[in-house]
Amino acid sequence: MPQHDTPHWEPDWSQAPEGWDWLAQDEDGRWYWYRTQPQVGVGGGVWRSNSRNQQYAGQGLPNPAWDASLRHRQQ
């Protein structure tokens, strides 16, 4: 997937796999879909979840406020 240079770019929910209802961005700008609610990682600027429960969603700009990026799909 290409990098998106728009400051507030987020992946579109229409691209999320069925049943993957969480989205979050790591400090380096990478966005991931999550099947289960991820947890803030201690150090490292990343969200944590079992690797089978996360899927790459796109590359945005680095985000110093990454720990406030968690989104839940609106049903």
Side-chain angles (χ1 to χ4, degrees), residues 4-74:
H4 299 274
D5 294 327
T6 305
H8 301 290
W9 178 83
E10 291 185 16
D12 189 296
W13 282 103
S14 68
Q15 303 300 311
E18 185 70 29
W20 294 61
D21 295 334
W22 298 92
L23 174 67
Q25 186 182 35
D26 289 346
E27 186 174 25
D28 66 4
R30 290 185 185 126
W31 285 94
Y32 289 90
W33 303 116
Y34 293 91
R35 190 178 354 220
T36 58
Q37 183 175 354
Q39 303 300 312
V40 171
V42 178
V46 297
W47 289 90
R48 300 280 186 209
S49 182
N50 183 295
S51 62
R52 287 172 279 161
N53 292 331
Q54 68 182 44
Q55 182 176 334
Y56 181 72
Q59 178 68 49
L61 295 175
N63 182 1
W66 65 275
D67 56 346
S69 69
L70 183 62
R71 309 282 188 263
H72 187 249
R73 184 194 309 248
Q74 300 300 311

